[in-house]
Amino acid sequence: MPRTRHEPDPGTIAFEDLGEALGVEATVVMEYVELGLVHPCQQATSRTLTAADVARVSRALRLAREFDVHAAAAAMLVELLEERDALRRRVACLEQVAGTPA
Amino acid sequence: MQFKDYYEVLGVGRDAKAEDIKRAYRRLARKYHPDVSKEPNAEERFKEVQEAYEVLKDPEKRAAYDQLGRDYRPGQDFRPPPDWGQGFEFSGPGGAGGFSDFFEQLFGQGSPFGGRGPGRQFDVRGEDHHAQIDLSLEQAYAGGTHTIGLQHPETGRDGRVELRSRQLMVRIPAGVTDGQVIRLAGQGAPGVGRGGRGDLYLKVALRPHPLFVVDRRDVTLTLPVAPWEAALGGVVPVPTPGGTVELRLPPNSRAGQKLRLKGRGLPGTPPGDQYVVLQVVLPPAETPAARELFERMRRELPFDPRANLGGAHATHKA
């Protein structure tokens, strides 16, 4: 198996590049900003999204396609799935420390 | 190559209306989508459902499929007819990739539906991949280089979904938090034509730790202390993610009290803190000498632990 070494990205991507990066119209990305799924930050002259936020938009786009739902539902799905996964990890952690309930 | 009965996959009749097909797809997507499904082989089943919907939701593809589908049984050996797709307009891209050989022959790249035609070039950016890397708290604290194995389902020659694996070396910065996402540009699926590769989004998942509860960069440790340590105060050793440190207990510390060790959590700007929750543990009362000490405390220390409960709290037989 070939091995490639990769450094993590600086962490942000400029808003103007997002549409092209994600393979969709820029208006589609704007929709998710308006829905509040992600919040661009102002950096000097451009607005940017963090890598985590780009991942969320990418995930929402995929879920919208896979579940055949509108952007609003896809955005909510991303948030709920993230919350569910975080809660599962926390429960696993607490059960480890406190002992699993009988 | 085997014939696939897409109507059977979606559980609809051949005369189903567009809305029936959409409804059937949504129901099956809810059932088999890997992010929410409890079914075994969910990923494989979901790909199958997606492929069927890709054909049946598109009136042109569906019409073409219906023409050849009348004479075949599912699983039967199949070849596309020589005049396949003639008379049909170009449609959209040939599916999200990873579909069966049957689909690729009829609707994929190189077919009349795949968007290839006189002078038409097709550029689609590859899909983004999402993966997770599990780290211990110690690994998250220190950071470092990790080799991860990635597996992606791809459809093999016989239409069966296989898992392709590859390895990647990734640098994890010190102090990554649970749920943090690292973006690796160009490490996703390859694109089509001049379309670039997708990206790989690597999500960090911290494994539960036997001692510490992690909340972002803060950690919490429940610390057992002896009654006299809490009562009289003193210095006790405390584990932290970066090693053992000494904690000064103030006199008259209470059971359950929370003390803070600033900056002793996960590194970062700013670094997280470690919280220590005091758990007063009793020495066992197993020897006569030990019991005598406890008896003496009962006699000489006026103390009602249940004073704040209110109501009848004197011992009585239930």
Side-chain angles (χ1 to χ4, degrees):
Chain A
M1 293 282 148
R3 287 179 181 223
T4 0
R5 194 190 176 90
H6 278 273
E7 301 287 347
D9 223 61
T12 60
I13 181 165
F15 206 71
E16 309 80 67
D17 303 326
L18 266 176
E20 191 187 318
L22 292 169
V24 293
E25 300 273 336
T27 48
V28 175
V29 179
M30 264 316 295
E31 203 173 358
Y32 285 104
V33 175
E34 276 156 26
L35 284 166
L37 179 65
V38 294
H39 303 282
C41 29
Q42 194 71 29
Q43 279 187 7
T45 54
S46 61
R47 289 193 301 165
T48 60
L49 282 187
T50 63
D53 276 348
V54 176
R56 301 178 92 213
V57 175
S58 175
R59 191 176 191 190
L61 290 170
R62 179 175 58 85
L63 293 177
R65 198 179 68 229
E66 290 176 350
F67 284 103
D68 194 23
V69 292
H70 296 310
M76 188 157 55
L77 256 178
V78 168
E79 288 170 350
L80 285 172
L81 288 174
E82 286 177 350
E83 189 178 351
R84 180 202 65 178
D85 292 341
L87 286 169
R88 277 183 179 169
R89 285 196 298 272
R90 191 164 174 80
V91 168
C93 196
L94 290 169
E95 283 180 345
Q96 180 107 8
V97 172
T100 321
Chain B
M1 181 169 61
Q2 293 187 334
F3 182 82
K4 283 184 175 288
D5 188 339
Y6 292 141
Y7 291 99
E8 195 180 46
V9 169
L10 291 187
V12 296
R14 298 191 78 91
D15 56 353
K17 294 198 199 44
E19 54 194 75
D20 298 329
I21 289 176
K22 188 172 190 147
R23 199 176 307 128
Y25 173 75
R26 283 182 169 168
R27 189 173 39 84
L28 291 169
R30 168 65 189 95
K31 187 170 180 187
Y32 290 114
H33 192 284
D35 286 1
V36 297
S37 176
K38 299 167 183 54
E39 304 286 329
N41 306 320
E43 190 133 25
E44 200 175 317
R45 294 299 304 269
F46 184 62
K47 272 278 179 211
E48 209 178 30
V49 166
Q50 270 189 305
E51 179 180 321
Y53 187 55
E54 187 67 32
V55 172
L56 295 184
K57 79 177 184 199
D58 179 347
E60 288 155 0
K61 291 198 183 84
R62 182 181 178 184
Y65 175 79
D66 284 347
Q67 274 192 5
L68 64 86
R70 266 195 311 264
D71 306 317
Y72 283 91
R73 293 261 151 290
Q76 190 179 350
D77 253 7
F78 171 81
R79 252 173 221 260
D83 60 350
W84 168 250
Q86 267 182 25
F88 287 98
E89 298 284 317
F90 295 122
S91 283
F99 286 156
S100 70
D101 215 32
F102 177 76
F103 179 93
E104 289 302 326
Q105 281 274 304
L106 295 174
F107 302 106
Q109 288 296 298
S111 78
F113 296 88
R116 249 193 50 190
R120 252 234 216 170
Q121 171 61 315
F122 214 63
D123 300 323
V124 183
R125 185 179 172 275
E127 272 192 334
D128 291 328
H129 283 150
H130 296 255
Q132 182 169 294
I133 180 170
D134 287 350
L135 296 175
S136 68
L137 179 60
E138 289 81 2
Q139 288 172 322
Y141 182 85
T145 313
H146 293 269
T147 305
I148 56 172
L150 295 171
Q151 290 180 313
H152 304 293
E154 276 180 33
T155 313
R157 300 232 138 266
D158 55 357
R160 231 192 299 258
V161 176
E162 293 169 355
L163 281 181
R164 287 265 187 87
S165 56
R166 63 181 168 126
Q167 288 192 317
L168 202 61
M169 241 161 65
V170 183
R171 193 181 74 79
I172 304 288
V176 287
T177 55
D178 190 35
Q180 185 170 332
V181 174
I182 298 170
R183 174 173 170 247
L184 300 166
Q187 282 299 312
V192 175
R194 285 189 308 260
R197 290 187 75 110
D199 300 328
L200 173 64
Y201 291 95
L202 199 59
K203 182 180 268 203
V204 172
L206 285 196
R207 284 192 217 105
H209 194 279
L211 293 182
F212 301 105
V213 176
V214 183
D215 182 4
R216 288 261 319 150
R217 292 207 178 96
D218 295 334
V219 301
T220 303
L221 172 87
T222 302
L223 182 73
V225 295
W228 48 87
E229 288 174 327
L232 303 174
V235 174
V236 294
V238 176
T240 75
T244 306
V245 301
E246 290 197 324
L247 169 69
R248 174 165 294 282
L249 289 181
N252 263 320
S253 295
R254 296 180 317 280
Q257 187 167 342
K258 206 186 227 190
L259 304 170
R260 182 166 79 147
L261 295 169
K262 200 154 164 47
R264 291 285 178 185
L266 286 177
T269 359
D273 300 326
Q274 174 164 335
Y275 293 94
V276 176
V277 177
L278 299 184
Q279 183 185 56
V280 178
V281 188
L282 291 184
E286 280 156 4
T287 66
R291 278 198 293 274
E292 174 49 38
L293 283 169
F294 279 112
E295 279 291 345
R296 222 183 118 187
M297 279 206 287
R298 192 212 321 246
R299 282 193 310 265
E300 298 182 23
L301 294 177
F303 173 52
D304 181 1
R306 291 168 289 279
N308 293 331
L309 285 189
H313 55 260
T315 334
H316 56 266
K317 300 256 195 290

